[in-house]
Amino acid sequence: MLRTAAVHVPSHAPVDVGAAFLPTLLAASVATGQSVRLDGFRAEAARPGLLRPDLAVVRAAAAVCGAEVEGDTVGSTALTFRPGAVRSGEIRVAVGAGGSAVRVIEAVLPALLVADGPSRLVVDGATFSVASLGAEALRQSVAPVLCRMGADVRVTVERVGFAPVGGGRVVVEIRPGALSAIGLETRGPEVGRRVRAVVSGLPVRVARRTLAAAADALAGSSFVVALDAVEASGPGIALVAEVVTTDGVAVQSAIGAPGVASTEVAARLARRVRAVLASDAPVVPEAVPALVVPLALAGGGALRTCGLGTRARLAVEAVRQAGIAVRVLDEPGGAVRVLVG
C-alpha cells in the first residue's frame, strides 16, 4: 500500500482554494490509489474549512472508489482520504447550495476514464460558477481532448444553472479506453468565432445590453454574436466566447452578478479572449486542472496554455503533492507549458 501523502495548502492560496485544489487533489488520489491527508484547508478564511459544496466533491469521489474518509464535516480544516478500487456504473450527485457541478465532475472523471466498464455521471448543480470551469468548456474544450487520448467521453448540459441558486444538470457518459500520451502544443487553423449571452429570468433589455457590451469589447475580432435565452431555476447571465479551430474549441466565459455592470462583465470576457487570440496555445487556462490527471494516467504528456492563473497553479500543486510528476515552464510572451510525467 502506498503511504499517505501529507498535503498542505500553499500559504499564498486564496480563500477559494477549494475551487481547484480540492477536486484535483481528489482526482489524483482516486485515479492513482494514493492516500492523502490534507491539512490547513481554508484555515485563514472567514469561514474556515470545508463548505457544503466541498463535501459534495469529497463524497462523490469517495462513492466512486469506496474511500475511507476522515474529516468530511463542515468546517473541518483537515481531511484524510484513502481510496479503494474504482467502481464504474451510474453515479448521481446533487451538489446543493448552488455549488458547481463541474467541480464534482473534475474530481471523479479521470478515474472513470480507466475504470473496468462504462459509467454515466449525472450531477445537479450550477453549470455557470465563478468558482470553476464552466460546463460548456468541459463539453467543448476538455471532452474532445479526452476522446483524442483514447476514451469516449460525451458531455450533455441538460439544464443550465447559475450560482448561487444552481439547479442545472450535467450528464457525462464515459466509455473507458487505453489512454495514449498526447502533446497539446499548437492550436489548429481557425474556422469561426462566436460569442453568446446565455440568460435566464432577466429582462430582455439587460441581456441585449450585455451582449452589445460584449460586441463592443470584442470589436474588430470578427465574432458572431447571439442571444441564448434559457429556462433555469434562478436568474443569471453569462457571456460565452468560442474560438473554433480544426482541432477543438477554446471556450472562455464571464458571469454576471448583481451590482456588476454589463460593461465590466464584457471587459472581463474580452481580456480572457484576447489572451487566447494572442497565443497559438491550444488549451485555455481554466481547462488545465481537468487535463493534468488524465495526462498522468496516459503515462505523461504536455500541454500549452496562454497563461496559468492562480486556480490552475493550485491544481498543478495539488497533483504534485499527491505524487504525480509535473513541471511548469513559463515561456517568453506569457504562454506556459505544463509537462506531466
Side-chain angles (χ1 to χ4, degrees):
M1 179 181 293
L2 296 173
R3 68 176 181 84
T4 300
V7 177
H8 300 278
V9 180
S11 59
H12 65 277
V15 295
D16 68 348
V17 61
F21 196 92
L22 182 64
T24 314
L25 176 68
L26 295 178
S29 176
V30 175
T32 65
Q34 172 67 64
S35 297
V36 294
R37 176 175 172 79
L38 174 62
D39 289 304
F41 188 78
R42 286 202 187 96
E44 305 299 324
R47 296 174 62 194
L50 295 166
L51 304 178
R52 293 194 183 280
D54 301 320
L55 292 181
V57 175
V58 173
R59 289 167 183 169
V64 165
C65 64
E68 297 178 5
V69 184
E70 298 171 10
D72 56 333
T73 58
V74 172
S76 174
T77 60
L79 179 76
T80 300
F81 190 92
R82 302 184 186 91
V86 175
R87 306 163 179 170
S88 58
E90 177 147 333
I91 302 134
R92 291 181 173 266
V93 181
V95 180
S100 167
V102 178
R103 289 181 64 217
V104 170
I105 295 167
E106 286 182 318
V108 302
L109 177 56
L112 297 177
L113 298 175
V114 292
D116 59 358
S119 296
R120 185 171 184 266
L121 182 59
V122 182
V123 185
D124 292 342
T127 61
F128 286 108
S129 170
V130 296
S132 74
L133 179 75
E136 279 300 319
L138 178 72
R139 181 177 73 87
Q140 297 189 77
S141 298
V142 174
V145 173
L146 301 178
C147 291
R148 286 169 59 189
M149 293 173 65
D152 183 0
V153 180
R154 301 174 187 271
V155 178
T156 304
V157 182
E158 290 195 347
R159 290 196 306 266
V160 170
F162 296 93
V165 175
R169 172 171 288 177
V170 183
V171 177
V172 186
E173 297 172 287
I174 308 112
R175 290 188 176 276
L179 299 183
S180 301
I182 191 172
L184 302 169
E185 299 281 359
T186 305
R187 190 168 65 240
E190 282 190 32
V191 296
R193 299 177 182 179
R194 54 183 179 251
V195 61
R196 294 178 291 135
V198 182
V199 61
S200 172
L202 295 176
V204 173
R205 68 178 184 278
V206 173
R208 288 176 176 166
R209 184 171 64 238
T210 305
L211 189 59
D216 289 343
L218 293 168
S221 300
S222 302
F223 276 84
V224 176
V225 299
L227 182 61
D228 186 5
V230 299
E231 292 186 7
S233 297
I237 188 166
L239 292 173
V240 180
E242 301 158 351
V243 178
V244 185
T245 70
T246 55
D247 53 9
V249 183
V251 177
Q252 291 283 266
S253 62
I255 303 168
V260 178
S262 58
T263 52
E264 173 54 31
V265 179
R268 192 159 60 238
L269 177 75
R271 286 193 295 270
R272 294 169 181 170
V273 170
R274 289 195 182 104
V276 170
L277 297 178
S279 170
D280 66 350
V283 180
V284 295
E286 295 79 6
V288 171
L291 293 173
V292 173
V293 177
L295 284 174
L297 293 175
L303 61 83
R304 285 180 71 243
T305 179
C306 60
L308 212 58
T310 301
R311 291 191 183 111
R313 290 187 184 273
L314 282 171
V316 169
E317 178 62 21
V319 299
R320 181 184 289 124
Q321 291 197 39
I324 293 174
V326 57
R327 290 182 294 155
V328 174
L329 304 177
D330 294 299
E331 298 181 356
V336 178
R337 294 185 80 226
V338 180
L339 307 177
V340 182

